[in-house]
């Protein structure tokens, strides 16, 4: 009864037979027997044509939100084939080898960026190249394989695969590669398909037809479970199914506590596709638009026009609701090919607002110009400053904003722009009152991903110390308590946009501290709103927060929160505690 643990890409739980979905990956494409022929370009054109047919077939039953992505795939495939033809022609090599070479060239540049954000998009390129390679080798996609009522286990899956799985009634997906924000994962979430990613899964230990429990609530895959386990899981499935329709309904209601405190549940997005999907998922607005992707996929910074188009699109999806655009948080884990920085310790180096002010002409000014234009035409935008540590950084941003404003009307209007500081460093957390005293700040948004790393001195991406990384550590909660109460005294709005806001046990603590806005992963909106609707905000300070602040360690604070939620009758939340 092997059990594998992985990362949850889409929540859910199911019991079903396994089907192994083995598609040759582009990295493993065998090219040693391949010779150059005069028809290499024609073969590539033929593969492209077949791929485009597959995309348009997929489009027919793809959800509205995925159509734009499929169109982007077509454009990427076209340029990939163009470059491959040129290489095959110049180097006199076969189409397969040329395709592999072109793919590997891009993979290397994606890798050397060192960014997890870009690595996720690499999955898109890999899937397009693999599909083209299959057509070159005369293989049809695995469209004949029936996945109905089965759990698909694969090394990797493409977004088009997942769209097809959804149509066929798949019970779940497990892959070794991929990321939780890949398109495949986004589509799985949109279609309620449980999906986990298990990098160290051993495919050779799994057979077609093996019964498995895919528990994408606790992130495990149990192959050939015993009778008792199956029985337990059947109960869990039934409970989850019941809860799911409630969560779906919760997503579309305004979140308020039992004592009528209204909480904004906003969403975090990275690009226009995610914004479009989020706009139909119950988000009360956008609490964090991570614009960095626009900067990291180019060999020079995006111009004002590109940024303006992106901002206005998101503003339109959320007409009449708040959209918080974060100024690009570049440097450290989001390096730029066009600003090479040689730093011993980039997380303590030139990143976020520091880099923006240093490269004000090249990066910050065009960004602010695009922001001001988009705000003038749509009116629902807010500006968020990343990695602030000093009052000076806020003042300098205010000065730059006034300089950037083109006319006196715009200059006047800038004084009404809602600027917020992202509290991601202990310095900003402790100086929140002084930041507010600048008069420029209307809100703060706690970036708990970085705030946890800087408070606990734990690199957020380092597996060796990941056991120490926990937002419910009383040290972080104490810092939040000091900081949030300073912010509330200054009457500035308080939101949280780090991953913490999406986590069930953190929600009552944050509300108890006085937080009024949570910006979460779009897939968690229903769950977070449901938890909010079950809490009595006026009891949380005394009954919960005072106790967790007095905990000696994270195990104790987690225990206190779990006991509290169970004591108020929220047994159904057990899978998340
Ligand atoms: C954070 O630090 O909590 C945050 C939201 O920013 P990012 O995860 O993009 O660094
Ligand atoms: Mg951050």
């Amino acid at each position: 009864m092997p059990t594998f643990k992985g990362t949850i890409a889409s929540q859910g739980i199911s019991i079903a037979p396994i089907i192994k979905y083995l598609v040759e990956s582009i990295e493993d494409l065998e090219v040693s027997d391949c010779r150059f022929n005069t028809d290499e370009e024609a073969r590539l054109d033929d593969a492209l044509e077949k791929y485009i047919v597959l995309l348009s077939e997929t489009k027919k039953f793809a959800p509205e939100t995925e159509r734009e992505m499929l169109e982007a795939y077509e454009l990427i495939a076209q340029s990939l084939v163009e470059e491959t033809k040129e290489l095959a022609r110049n180097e006199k090599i076969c189409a397969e080898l040329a395709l592999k070479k072109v793919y590997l060239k891009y993979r290397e540049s994606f890798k050397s960026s060192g960014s997890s954000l870009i690595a996720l998009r690499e999955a898109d390129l890999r899937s397009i190249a693999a599909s083209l390679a299959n057509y070159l080798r005369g293989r049809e996609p695995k469209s004949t394989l029936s996945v109905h009522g089965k759990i698909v286990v694969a090394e990797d899956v493409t977004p088009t695969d997942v769209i097809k799985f959804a149509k066929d009634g798949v019970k779940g997906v497990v892959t070794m590669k991929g990321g939780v924000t890949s398109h495949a994962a986004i589509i799985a979430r949109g279609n309620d398909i449980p999906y986990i990613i298990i990098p160290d899964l051993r495919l050779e230990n799994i057979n077609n037809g093996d019964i498995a429990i895919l528990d994408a609530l606790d992130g495990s895959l149990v192959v050939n479970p015993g009778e008792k386990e199956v029985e337990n899981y059947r109960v869990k499935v039934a409970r989850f199914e019941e809860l799911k329709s409630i969560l779906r309904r919760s997503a579309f209601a305004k979140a308020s506590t039992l004592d009528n405190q209204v909480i904004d549940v906003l969403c975090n997005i990275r690009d226009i596709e995610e914004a479009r999907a989020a706009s139909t998922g119950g988000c009360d607005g956008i609490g964090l638009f991570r614009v960095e992707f626009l900067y990291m996929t180019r060999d020079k910074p995006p111009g004002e026009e590109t940024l303006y188009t992106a901002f206005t699109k998101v503003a339109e999806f959320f007409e009449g609701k708040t959209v918080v655009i974060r100024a690009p948080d570049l440097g450290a884990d989001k390096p730029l090919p066009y600003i090479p920085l040689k730093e011993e310790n980039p997380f303590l180096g030139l990143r976020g607002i520091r880099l923006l002010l240093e490269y004000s002409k090249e990066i910050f000014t065009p960004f602010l110009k695009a922001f001001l234009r988009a705000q003038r035409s749509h009116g629902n935008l807010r500006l968020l400053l990343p990695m602030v540590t000093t009052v000076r950084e806020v003042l300098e941003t205010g000065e730059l904003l006034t300089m950037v404003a083109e006319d006196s009307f715009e200059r006047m209007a800038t004084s009404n722009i809602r600027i917020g500081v992202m509290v991601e460093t202990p310095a900003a957390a402790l100086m929140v009152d002084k930041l507010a005293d600048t008069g420029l700040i209307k809100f703060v948004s706690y970036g708990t991903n970085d705030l946890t790393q800087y408070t606990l001195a734990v690199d957020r991406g380092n597996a060796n110390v990941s056991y120490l990384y926990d937002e419910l550590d009383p040290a972080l909660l104490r810092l939040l308590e000091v900081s949030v109460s300073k912010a509330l005294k200054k009457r500035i709005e308080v939101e949280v946009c780090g991953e913490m806001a999406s986590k069930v046990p953190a929600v009552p603590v944050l509300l108890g501290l006085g937080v009024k806005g949570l910006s979460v992963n779009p897939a968690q909106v229903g769950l977070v709103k449901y938890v909010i609707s079950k809490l009595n905000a006026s009891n949380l300070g005394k009954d919960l927060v005072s106790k967790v602040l007095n905990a000696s360690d994270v195990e104790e604070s987690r225990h206190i929160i779990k006991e509290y939620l169970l004591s108020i009758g929220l047994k159904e939340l057990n899978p998340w505690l």
Side-chain angles (χ1 to χ4, degrees):
M1 194 181 51
T3 300
F4 303 94
K5 275 282 189 190
T7 307
I8 301 165
S10 171
Q11 288 194 346
I13 177 164
S14 58
I15 304 176
I18 280 179
I19 182 163
K20 291 211 267 186
Y21 194 81
L22 303 174
V23 187
E24 190 174 16
S25 74
I26 180 76
E27 285 98 333
D28 300 336
L29 181 70
E30 194 38 73
V31 284
S32 55
D33 61 341
C34 140
R35 303 262 168 280
F36 174 76
N37 276 311
T38 48
D39 65 347
E40 300 304 333
E41 294 192 33
R43 291 175 59 226
L44 279 161
D45 282 334
D46 186 49
L48 178 63
E49 200 176 307
K50 288 191 171 127
Y51 185 57
I52 290 175
V53 171
L54 170 75
L55 291 177
S56 55
E57 285 299 308
T58 312
K59 234 188 283 176
K60 284 187 199 147
F61 48 84
E64 176 74 25
T65 48
E66 305 311 329
R67 303 226 173 105
E68 204 167 283
M69 176 211 62
L70 292 171
E71 274 150 27
Y73 268 41
E74 189 172 324
L75 294 177
I76 297 171
Q78 276 162 353
S79 23
L80 196 60
V81 164
E82 274 319 303
E83 202 169 329
T84 303
K85 283 206 275 191
E86 201 181 314
L87 190 71
R89 191 165 52 237
N90 293 345
E91 293 194 5
K92 299 247 171 305
I93 54 176
C94 72
E96 287 87 340
L97 178 57
L99 178 65
K100 190 168 175 175
K101 279 189 162 192
V102 172
Y103 162 72
L104 291 176
K105 179 184 96 181
Y106 284 105
R107 191 190 68 174
E108 283 321 304
S109 61
F110 278 130
K111 266 196 178 157
S112 62
S113 85
S115 151
S116 56
L117 206 65
I118 284 192
L120 293 172
R121 295 304 184 201
E122 190 265 337
D124 291 330
L125 186 67
R126 179 160 20 98
S127 97
I128 295 167
S131 304
L132 289 168
N134 270 310
Y135 284 121
L136 279 174
R137 288 270 147 138
R139 296 186 193 122
E140 285 300 312
K142 302 224 160 194
S143 50
T144 47
L145 209 61
S146 171
V147 300
H148 178 77
K150 308 219 172 86
I151 293 172
V152 166
V153 174
E155 195 168 309
D156 202 359
V157 288
T158 66
T160 45
D161 288 334
V162 184
I163 292 172
K164 180 187 162 295
F165 296 163
K167 178 174 164 267
D168 289 356
V170 76
K171 284 286 199 178
V173 177
V174 180
T175 61
M176 296 168 68
K177 291 186 179 154
V180 293
T181 46
S182 68
H183 282 300
I186 293 170
I187 296 166
R189 286 197 286 274
N191 288 284
D192 258 341
I193 301 170
Y195 173 16
I196 56 178
I197 300 160
I198 309 178
D200 52 2
L201 187 71
R202 309 218 68 82
L203 285 178
E204 61 277 17
N205 293 352
I206 297 175
N207 298 308
N208 279 328
D210 281 351
I211 298 294
I213 295 168
L214 171 58
D215 187 342
L217 297 178
D218 80 352
S220 64
L221 177 77
V222 187
V223 183
N224 295 324
E227 245 172 62
K228 177 121 190 55
E229 235 164 342
V230 172
E231 209 30 62
N232 290 345
Y233 274 90
R234 286 204 195 285
V235 175
K236 202 167 169 185
V237 170
R239 283 218 194 105
F240 181 67
E241 287 303 319
E242 244 176 71
L243 192 59
K244 232 166 53 180
S245 58
I246 301 173
L247 297 186
R248 211 171 289 128
R249 263 180 278 133
S250 300
F252 296 97
K254 189 80 198 151
S256 74
T257 60
L258 293 170
D259 49 346
N260 300 322
Q261 267 215 22
V262 176
I263 305 293
D264 287 325
V265 180
L266 308 142
C267 285
N268 295 348
I269 53 148
R270 286 178 313 152
D271 55 32
I272 293 163
E273 286 158 33
E274 282 187 7
R276 188 200 293 275
S279 67
T280 58
C283 312
D284 297 329
I286 293 299
L288 176 65
F289 178 7
R290 289 180 162 107
V291 300
E292 293 75 24
F293 192 62
L294 291 164
Y295 289 79
M296 293 162 67
T297 46
R298 295 177 158 73
D299 50 14
K300 58 181 193 320
E304 184 186 324
E305 217 44 49
T306 307
L307 295 166
Y308 173 75
T309 308
F311 300 165
T312 50
K313 274 205 172 163
V314 178
E316 275 158 24
F317 290 139
F318 286 88
E319 198 87 64
K321 293 179 177 166
T322 302
V323 171
V324 177
I325 300 186
R326 166 167 81 181
D329 175 22
L330 304 164
D333 56 341
K334 297 159 191 128
L336 295 174
Y338 41 90
I339 301 191
L341 298 171
K342 287 217 163 46
E343 296 181 309
E344 284 279 313
N345 195 344
F347 279 95
L348 302 181
L350 199 63
R351 68 169 296 198
I353 193 76
R354 301 171 184 177
L355 185 140
L356 290 172
L357 292 169
E358 180 79 22
Y359 289 87
S360 129
K361 188 161 143 280
E362 302 84 341
I363 298 186
F364 209 8
T365 298
F367 169 87
L368 290 175
K369 279 191 173 164
F371 175 87
L372 285 178
R373 266 176 68 199
Q375 169 62 1
R376 199 169 39 190
S377 55
H378 286 76
N380 56 340
L381 303 183
R382 291 181 176 201
L383 174 65
L384 187 58
L385 307 177
M387 287 301 300
V388 168
T389 49
T390 67
V391 167
R392 167 128 302 281
E393 289 158 348
V394 171
L395 294 174
E396 279 184 30
T397 302
E399 282 160 22
L400 187 62
L401 203 55
T402 315
M403 256 162 56
V404 162
E406 266 159 16
D407 51 42
S408 55
F409 173 77
E410 206 170 47
R411 223 161 275 149
M412 247 163 52
T414 54
S415 58
N416 289 325
I417 293 219
R418 301 189 79 80
I419 304 177
V421 160
M422 234 178 144
V423 180
E424 299 175 281
T425 61
L430 295 168
M431 294 299 283
V432 125
D433 49 341
K434 296 294 170 192
L435 292 167
D437 285 345
T438 59
L440 293 168
I441 298 304
K442 304 285 191 304
F443 72 105
V444 282
S445 190
Y446 287 82
T448 49
N449 304 338
D450 275 308
L451 190 58
T452 306
Q453 119 165 311
Y454 291 121
T455 304
L456 303 181
V458 179
D459 176 348
R460 62 193 260 193
N462 182 342
N464 293 336
V465 286
S466 61
Y467 69 98
L468 289 169
Y469 186 96
D470 194 320
E471 298 100 334
L472 293 175
D473 193 298
L476 183 78
L477 300 181
R478 285 180 179 209
L479 181 63
L480 282 175
E481 197 257 340
V482 170
S483 182
V484 171
S485 54
K486 280 182 195 294
L488 293 175
K489 267 195 209 119
K490 293 287 175 181
R491 297 186 183 286
I492 52 177
E493 291 170 39
V494 177
E495 291 169 8
V496 175
C497 63
E499 284 298 300
M500 184 180 190
S502 302
K503 296 184 179 167
V504 171
V507 172
V509 179
L510 294 174
L511 262 56
L513 289 172
V515 170
K516 294 287 184 303
L518 299 173
S519 192
V520 306
N521 303 325
Q524 304 296 93
V525 171
L527 180 61
V528 170
K529 287 190 177 180
Y530 176 78
V531 178
I532 293 169
S533 73
K534 299 288 170 189
L535 301 171
N536 201 320
S538 46
N539 294 345
L540 292 169
K542 178 169 62 65
D543 294 351
L544 179 67
V545 174
S546 60
K547 292 181 183 152
V548 286
L549 291 178
N550 203 32
S552 305
D553 54 29
V554 69
E555 286 75 26
E556 194 181 339
S557 71
R558 280 192 173 277
H559 178 74
I560 293 167
I561 299 167
K562 182 170 179 172
E563 290 299 304
Y564 175 77
L565 290 173
L566 296 179
S567 78
I568 58 169
L570 300 180
K571 281 198 292 293
E572 69 278 21
L573 296 180
N574 231 333
W576 290 279
L577 299 178

